[in-house]
Amino acid sequence: MADANKLFQVEIITPERVFYTGQAFMIEFTTTEGDIGVYKNHIPLTAVLAPGIVTITEEGDSKQAAVHSGFVEILGDKVTLLAEVAEWPDEIDKNRAEEAKMRAERRLKMKEAGLDVKRAEIALKKALIRIDIAK
């Protein structure tokens, strides 16, 4: 069991809902600068979230969710993720994610005129994250 003095508040908020609120021992997520892990009393930091898997380590348990872009604010005793989309594994339609992956790969392979490559790459990354966490 984690020491209660090492726990901190975590909130994940999307435009549609308060996705998660609780106490955590550690949280890991992806920023545009790379992966980061946070414990209590981390230095204050604001960063841009990149599509990725968030792992929340609670007392004796661990939860994972897919998060797609947003911002994170880290304070000594609280971490807040403001995400465009956040999904638990059981909320993901794996077939839909597979179809989105195929569409994005097809767009990138065909390289049609006017293709927004960055947007297609982001769509592919989001689909891959959904597929990975839905397993």
Side-chain angles (χ1 to χ4, degrees):
M1 184 161 86
D3 182 352
N5 291 329
K6 295 183 180 181
L7 296 175
F8 58 94
Q9 184 69 29
V10 173
E11 285 187 332
I12 302 174
I13 302 168
T14 71
E16 290 81 31
R17 63 184 169 160
V18 175
F19 178 76
Y20 174 85
T21 184
Q23 296 283 314
F25 174 69
M26 180 177 164
I27 184 168
E28 299 169 272
F29 49 86
T30 303
T31 72
T32 55
E33 301 298 315
D35 293 337
I36 186 170
V38 177
Y39 291 99
K40 186 174 182 176
N41 297 322
H42 192 284
I43 61 167
L45 177 71
T46 302
V48 178
L49 287 173
I53 295 175
V54 173
T55 303
I56 304 163
T57 305
E58 300 173 325
E59 281 192 282
D61 192 23
S62 183
K63 297 180 181 191
Q64 288 191 316
V67 173
H68 305 290
S69 305
F71 298 93
V72 61
E73 177 187 54
I74 302 169
L75 301 174
D77 60 350
K78 185 175 183 182
V79 175
T80 304
L81 282 75
L82 302 173
E84 289 179 19
V85 176
E87 302 165 301
W88 296 115
D90 62 350
E91 296 175 333
I92 294 170
D93 181 339
K94 191 171 180 186
N95 291 331
R96 187 172 170 213
E98 290 283 355
E99 290 170 5
K101 174 185 173 254
M102 289 187 292
R103 276 193 311 273
E105 288 175 335
R106 188 171 48 250
R107 285 185 189 126
L108 289 167
K109 185 178 180 181
M110 295 177 84
K111 297 182 183 173
E112 295 176 1
L115 173 69
D116 185 342
V117 175
K118 188 71 171 168
R119 184 175 173 190
E121 288 172 344
I122 291 170
L124 178 59
K125 178 151 176 98
K126 287 179 179 181
L128 291 171
I129 290 164
R130 284 181 170 123
I131 291 165
D132 185 39
I133 199 164
K135 289 181 181 176

